[in-house]
Amino acid sequence: MIQHFLDWFSFLQGWLFESVVEPFLFYTGMGEYTEDAFEGVEWFLAGIVEVAALYLVLRPLEAALPAQPMADRRARWNDFVYTLIHRLGFFTMAVFFTLGPVMDHVAGMLRMEGVRPFNLESLVADMPPLASFLLYLVVLDFFDYWFHRGQHKFRWWWALHSLHHSQQDMNLWSDDRNHLLDDLLRDVVLACIALAIGVAPSQYVLLVSVSRVLQSLQHANVRIHFGRLGERLLVSPRFHRTHHAVGIGHESKGRDIGGCNFGVLLPVWDILFRTANFDERFHRTGVRDQFERVNADGSVRAGRDYGRGFWRQQWLGLARMVEFSRRPAAKAREGVPDGASGAAQ
C-alpha cells in the first residue's frame, strides 16, 4: 500500500515536472534551476496531499468532537489562506534551497582547512533510515522548543508571534496562521540546523511534512487527549490548547518566563525544563489584550485589533513590532510579555 502510494507520487512528480515545470524553465531561460525545481515539485505535491488528508480526517473530527463552538467561521477560511501559502512548499523550499549553496560553500572551505563537517548520522554506524529520521526529528524538535520560547520571551518577537495566538476559534488550519516574517525567521533557523547536521533535501521534505501534520492535529478544534502516558509522549490537542489559553498558556505569571507547553512535537522538553502544564480542561483561546476591559473608573477600554484579513494581520504585526521595540523599558500592556511574562506558538 505504502509502496504503491510512493510509486504513484513519484510518477506524478515526474509527469508534472516534465509536462509543466521544465518547459517553463527553459522558455524563461532559467534552466540552471532545473534540479531545484524538481525538488520544488515534490514540496508542492506533498503539500497538496497534506491539505487533502487533513481536511478528510480532521474536519469530521472537528464536527463530531468540537472543543468549543465555532463563533467566527470566516476566521477558519482566513487561516486556510495561510495554510495554502505555507503547505504548498514555496516558502520553506525557497529558504532551504537558498541556504543549501551557502552551507555547501562553507563546508568546502572547512574541508580545505582540514575540518570535516559534522553529520549526525556519522555518530552511529549503519544507522537504519527510520532511526536516522527519528533522530533528526528529535534534534530539530529540541531546537524548535527553544525557538518557540524565544518567540514568547522577547517583546518585539512576541509582537509578531501574537498573531498566531490571537485566533479565538482555533482550527485545523491555525498552525499556519503566522506572520510571514516570524515564519521566515523560523524556517531560516531550522533549515540552517538541518543542513548543519546533514539532513538530505528529500529527507527534510518528509521531516517538515510529518511535523506540520502533527501540529495541525494539535491546533484542531477537537476535544481529544492521549491519556496520562500519551500526553507525555506526544503533544496533544489538549496539551497545546492549554498553551493557547487566555491568561494561562502564554500569559501566566509566576514562572521564570511565563507560560507553559512550548513543546512543538514532544512534551519531554517542557517536562525537562519545567514548563509543562497537564491541565485536563479545554480552555478558551486568544490573547488577553484583544478583549475589552473595564477600567477602575468604570470606563471600558477596547481590545487590541489583530485584524481579520490576511494583509491587515500582516500589517498590524509589523506595527506592533515597531511599537514594542520603541518602548523596551516600559511596562508592557497587559497580555504582552516583558521578559517575566511570556507566550508561545
Side-chain angles (χ1 to χ4, degrees):
M1 177 68 177
I2 295 179
Q3 187 58 49
H4 178 73
F5 172 78
L6 293 176
D7 292 341
W8 173 83
F9 188 91
S10 297
F11 169 79
L12 187 58
Q13 180 184 5
W15 175 84
L16 183 60
F17 177 77
E18 293 174 1
S19 303
V20 180
V21 178
E22 190 174 37
F24 173 79
L25 290 176
F26 285 110
Y27 178 77
T28 56
M30 297 189 294
E32 67 270 23
Y33 299 106
T34 299
E35 184 176 347
D36 289 347
F38 185 76
E39 300 288 350
V41 173
E42 183 178 11
W43 280 96
F44 176 77
L45 291 178
I48 293 291
V49 172
E50 271 184 53
V51 171
L54 290 171
Y55 182 81
L56 292 174
V57 174
L58 293 182
R59 277 298 293 120
L61 283 176
E62 286 189 328
L65 300 169
Q68 69 176 45
M70 183 67 68
D72 183 5
R73 298 188 180 277
R74 176 186 169 185
R76 181 165 58 198
W77 280 105
N78 190 56
D79 288 358
F80 184 64
V81 172
Y82 283 94
T83 296
L84 292 181
I85 291 173
H86 290 87
R87 297 294 172 102
L88 298 188
F90 303 117
F91 202 78
T92 305
M93 178 191 67
V95 172
F96 190 82
F97 289 107
T98 299
L99 291 174
V102 176
M103 298 295 287
D104 289 342
H105 178 69
V106 172
M109 294 176 60
L110 291 175
R111 289 191 196 98
M112 293 180 63
E113 298 297 328
V115 179
R116 184 180 179 183
F118 175 75
N119 189 304
L120 196 59
E121 288 183 280
S122 64
L123 296 178
V124 181
D126 301 321
M127 179 180 289
L130 179 59
S132 66
F133 176 84
L134 294 176
L135 180 59
Y136 283 134
L137 195 68
V138 171
V139 171
L140 289 174
D141 191 60
F142 171 77
F143 284 102
D144 216 357
Y145 167 84
W146 287 105
F147 185 91
H148 192 184
R149 283 184 62 161
Q151 289 174 305
H152 292 265
K153 174 70 174 179
F154 302 102
R155 193 175 306 143
W156 69 268
W157 207 349
W158 167 249
L160 297 175
H161 187 57
S162 57
L163 167 60
H164 177 75
H165 280 271
S166 67
Q167 177 57 282
Q168 299 177 48
D169 290 293
M170 278 177 60
N171 59 85
L172 75 158
W173 311 121
S174 294
D175 172 50
D176 296 304
R177 177 193 171 102
N178 300 300
H179 197 281
L180 294 181
L181 180 56
D182 195 18
D183 265 340
L184 177 62
L185 290 172
R186 181 175 181 268
D187 283 350
V188 167
V189 169
L190 291 183
C192 284
I193 294 170
L195 289 165
I197 62 178
V199 178
S202 59
Q203 198 169 29
Y204 191 65
V205 175
L206 187 57
L207 285 165
V208 171
S209 184
V210 168
S211 178
R212 293 190 308 201
V213 167
L214 291 174
Q215 290 180 67
S216 291
L217 171 61
Q218 297 165 16
H219 290 83
N221 182 33
V222 291
R223 188 171 289 272
I224 290 177
H225 62 87
F226 299 154
R228 182 174 179 81
L229 177 60
E231 291 280 284
R232 287 157 176 79
L233 297 177
L234 187 67
V235 172
S236 72
R238 184 174 70 183
F239 184 86
H240 193 67
R241 191 177 186 87
T242 300
H243 171 72
H244 277 260
V246 180
I248 300 173
H250 55 89
E251 298 168 315
S252 57
K253 309 290 184 180
R255 297 172 184 263
D256 59 333
I257 58 164
C260 61
N261 300 6
F262 297 98
V264 177
L265 298 181
L266 305 175
V268 63
W269 313 125
D270 286 297
I271 296 172
L272 287 175
F273 300 110
R274 300 184 178 183
T275 55
N277 182 347
F278 293 99
D279 194 318
E280 297 183 357
R281 294 169 292 175
F282 289 84
H283 298 277
R284 182 178 69 162
T285 63
V287 182
R288 187 160 38 197
D289 72 351
Q290 69 187 133
F291 301 98
E292 65 178 27
R293 283 153 291 171
V294 179
N295 298 319
D297 60 1
S299 62
V300 177
R301 181 168 64 179
R304 179 183 291 274
D305 178 20
Y306 282 84
R308 287 174 60 81
F310 175 83
W311 292 112
R312 176 71 174 168
Q313 290 170 348
Q314 295 296 304
W315 167 251
L316 289 176
L318 293 175
R320 286 193 303 274
M321 185 176 67
V322 173
E323 173 192 347
F324 295 170
S325 298
R326 285 178 174 175
R327 53 185 181 93
K331 181 179 179 181
R333 177 185 293 185
E334 183 181 3
V336 178
D338 58 4
S341 175
Q345 180 172 323

